Amino acid sequence: MTDFHVLDCHHHVADVSGPSGLAGPSVPSEASGRSGASGADSGDDRGIAGERETRLATMDRNGIGQAVVIPGHSYLRPNGLADTRRVNDTIAAYRDAAPDRFPAAIGVTEPLYGPAGLAEIDRCADQLGLRGISIHARFHGVAVGSPLVRAIIERCGERSLVPFVHAIGESANEALWQVQELGRDFPDLTMVVLDAFSSFEQCQQALSVGESAPNLVFDTSLAYTFDLVEPFVRRHGASRLVFGTDLYSPPLGYRRTHVLGQILDSELPDDDKRQILADNTRRILKLANGGATS
C-alpha cells in the first residue's frame, strides 16, 4: 500500500481467553522462555498464536510493517503485583516471538501499588528490556495528574523509559490539561501522548498544549480525520507526531485504518511523512532502522 515504512506506536495485546489484559496462568514463551499468560490453560498457546496471526494479517492489510505492543489495561489482578508481573512477562514474550514485526514492547504498573509499583518499573527495564511504561488513568483508578502517577513518571525518567500517557477525550481522569502539567513538570523527559486527537475539542486544545509542553509527542490514534491533526503538524513540526492506531486484540478495533491513507495523501513533504510514520518512534525508543535497540 505504501513505499513508506510504517511503525505503529500503539497496539494493545490482551488475553484472548477472557477479560482483556493477559492475566491468565503462566506458560513459557516460545521464543525466550520467560513466563507469561497465553490463555485459559497451559495448553492454550494456540490462542495467543492465533491472536498474533490475526494482528499480523491486519497490519499487512494496512501496509503496517511493525508495531509497538502494550498490554491491555483492563486485566484482572486479584493477586495484585503478581498479576501485573505476568502481564509484563507476557508482553515481553509477545515481542520476542516476532521481533522483526514487534521491535519494542511497553510495560504497565499500577499507581495504587505505591513503591512496589516503582520496583516493577525497574524490573521492566532491567530484566525484560521494555522501552516504556503505559499510563491509562481511567483504568488505574486515579487521575493522570495524581502524585502516584507523577512518581511513575519520575522513575521512568530515572530508568530512561518513555512514558506512554493515554489522554482519551471522553475521560476526565485523562484530561489533556493534566497531561500538559506533567509535561511542564518533567520538561527534560519525552512523553508519548496517546489518543489526544480522539475528540474535536482536544484536536484544538492540543495546539496550545503542544506549545506549552514541547517535550510531549502526540500519536494519531482515534483521530476522526487527519485533517484535524494536520494543523498540529503545521504549527509544531512533524517531529511532534507519531503514527498510532490503538489496535486491540480481537475483536479488532478496525479492519482498515483510514488515517494512514490520509497521511499518505496529504500535502506534507515526504520527509515529514517518514518522520510521522516511523522515524520519530524509532528515535524516541532508540530503535535502529531494523528494529533492534541501538
Side-chain angles (χ1 to χ4, degrees):
M1 291 181 61
T2 171
D3 293 332
F4 294 89
H5 180 68
V6 181
L7 171 55
D8 189 333
C9 78
H10 190 180
H11 276 211
H12 284 288
V13 180
D15 182 4
V16 296
S17 69
S20 63
L22 296 168
S26 179
V27 299
S29 160
E30 63 269 35
S32 69
R34 294 193 183 103
S35 7
S38 288
D41 57 56
S42 60
D44 197 28
D45 207 27
R46 296 182 305 277
I48 203 68
E51 190 275 359
R52 186 162 47 243
E53 182 178 345
T54 300
R55 182 179 303 275
L56 290 171
T58 304
M59 291 167 62
D60 291 343
R61 185 185 309 120
N62 285 275
I64 298 172
Q66 295 179 308
V68 176
V69 288
I70 309 169
H73 280 270
S74 58
Y75 63 98
L76 296 177
R77 41 188 181 271
N79 300 306
L81 184 57
D83 292 320
T84 302
R85 288 169 63 93
R86 279 196 293 270
V87 166
N88 288 327
D89 288 343
T90 299
I91 204 66
Y94 195 98
R95 171 203 62 198
D96 292 345
D100 58 324
R101 303 301 300 274
F102 307 114
I106 306 301
V108 299
T109 192
E110 299 302 325
L112 294 176
Y113 292 161
L118 303 183
E120 179 61 8
I121 295 173
D122 295 337
R123 194 180 75 92
C124 287
D126 294 335
Q127 298 182 28
L128 301 180
L130 303 184
R131 305 304 303 158
I133 296 295
S134 177
I135 296 165
H136 213 334
R138 67 187 301 202
F139 293 107
H140 293 318
V142 298
V144 72
S146 163
L148 295 172
V149 172
R150 289 171 181 271
I152 292 173
I153 298 289
E154 183 176 14
R155 184 61 62 91
C156 284
E158 294 169 354
R159 300 313 313 270
S160 299
L161 297 179
V162 179
F164 276 55
V165 183
H166 290 72
I168 194 165
E170 65 192 43
S171 174
N173 280 4
E174 297 178 358
L176 196 53
W177 69 265
Q178 295 189 59
V179 178
Q180 173 182 267
E181 293 304 307
L182 289 178
R184 286 175 170 175
D185 291 346
F186 297 91
D188 297 326
L189 180 59
T190 297
M191 305 183 205
V192 178
V193 184
L194 305 176
D195 303 328
F197 297 110
S198 54
S199 73
F200 175 80
E201 289 77 10
Q202 286 204 166
C203 288
Q204 304 304 307
Q205 188 181 356
L207 294 173
S208 59
V209 171
E211 190 79 44
S212 64
N215 56 319
L216 300 181
V217 176
F218 294 75
D219 95 323
T220 61
S221 292
L222 304 186
Y224 172 70
T225 172
F226 188 67
D227 290 338
L228 295 177
V229 180
E230 190 169 351
F232 180 90
V233 179
R234 301 290 184 186
R235 181 165 172 176
H236 298 297
S239 65
R240 300 286 302 283
L241 189 71
V242 291
F243 176 72
T245 63
D246 197 18
L247 181 67
Y248 264 83
S249 297
L252 300 173
Y254 64 82
R255 295 183 180 275
R256 297 280 186 185
T257 170
H258 63 280
V259 169
L260 176 56
Q262 292 174 345
I263 293 172
L264 295 171
D265 288 342
S266 75
E267 296 183 359
L268 292 176
D270 284 354
D271 184 62
D272 285 2
K273 294 176 184 178
R274 291 188 185 94
Q275 288 187 64
I276 293 166
L277 294 177
D279 290 353
N280 291 336
T281 298
R282 287 172 177 154
R283 169 177 51 82
I284 292 166
L285 296 181
K286 297 181 171 62
L287 301 175
N289 283 347
T293 303
S294 60

